[in-house]
Amino acid sequence: MPAHAASPVVIPVNESFVITGLCSYPLKVTNVGVIRVQNHGNVTLNIYNWKTTYSNLNNGKSFSTPNVGPDIITTSTDGTGTLVAIGLQGRATIPGQGVVWLRAGRLTLKLPEFTVVSDAGRHDDYAALCPYLQ
């Protein structure tokens, strides 16, 4: 009899938090949507379907971007593992300038440290957003 994976768990996301120290102003990050989590033994697949909004709390400027994932998380019994983020995690486009910030491609991180193992694509630093929200 073939093995069947468990049905995905759908987790609604509606969260906001404030980041200080990244920009010269407080940056509010809001995520709204869902994550579909599928477990396959020591491998977990997270498929995202949400919108992230970045807002400057001092002047109200903001922009929104989709995050569609997926992330593939592989864990070992010793607590280590890898996280592979694939696809579009975010982008900012300004008329006349085009894409000014992008996080897309394939990024592999070692867990639990979140150190970069490999990076294929464009994964701009979040601080690159700051000038566009001033």
Side-chain angles (χ1 to χ4, degrees), residues 115-129:
T115 54
V116 175
V117 174
S118 66
D119 183 353
R122 183 170 157 186
H123 294 94
D124 295 341
D125 187 270
Y126 286 99
L129 294 170

Side-chain angles (χ1 to χ4, degrees), residues 8-14 33-37 46 50:
V9 175
V10 178
I11 303 169
V13 175
N14 189 351
V34 297
I35 303 173
R36 287 174 179 76
V37 179
N46 294 338
W50 76 34

Side-chain angles (χ1 to χ4, degrees), residues 27 44-45 51 73-75 77 80 82 88 94 98 100-101 109 114 118 120 125-128:
L27 184 67
T44 302
L45 175 65
K51 178 175 74 170
I73 303 166
T74 306
T75 55
T77 56
T80 62
T82 58
L88 177 64
I94 295 179
V100 296
W101 175 81
L109 304 172
F114 289 93
S118 66
D125 187 270
Y126 286 99

Side-chain angles (χ1 to χ4, degrees), residues 2-115:
H4 296 284
S7 295
V9 175
V10 178
I11 303 169
V13 175
N14 189 351
E15 65 178 5
S16 292
F17 53 93
V18 175
I19 299 172
T20 57
L22 180 66
C23 301
S24 61
Y25 51 85
L27 184 67
K28 181 178 179 183
V29 180
T30 303
N31 296 309
V32 177
V34 297
I35 303 173
R36 287 174 179 76
V37 179
Q38 180 79 50
N39 290 311
H40 302 278
N42 70 326
V43 177
T44 302
L45 175 65
N46 294 338
I47 299 174
Y48 301 93
N49 184 7
W50 76 34
K51 178 175 74 170
T52 300
T53 301
Y54 299 90
S55 305
N56 178 336
L57 290 179
N58 288 346
N59 64 17
K61 287 185 180 180
S62 67
F63 77 90
S64 297
T65 180
N67 181 335
V68 295
D71 287 354
I72 301 168
I73 303 166
T74 306
T75 55
S76 300
T77 56
D78 66 359
T80 62
T82 58
L83 183 152
V84 181
I86 304 167
L88 177 64
Q89 295 137 23
R91 72 172 175 270
T93 304
I94 295 179
Q97 293 184 40
V99 175
V100 296
W101 175 81
L102 180 66
R103 294 189 62 83
R106 182 182 179 105
L107 178 65
T108 303
L109 304 172
K110 180 181 176 185
L111 300 176
E113 302 89 353
F114 289 93
T115 54

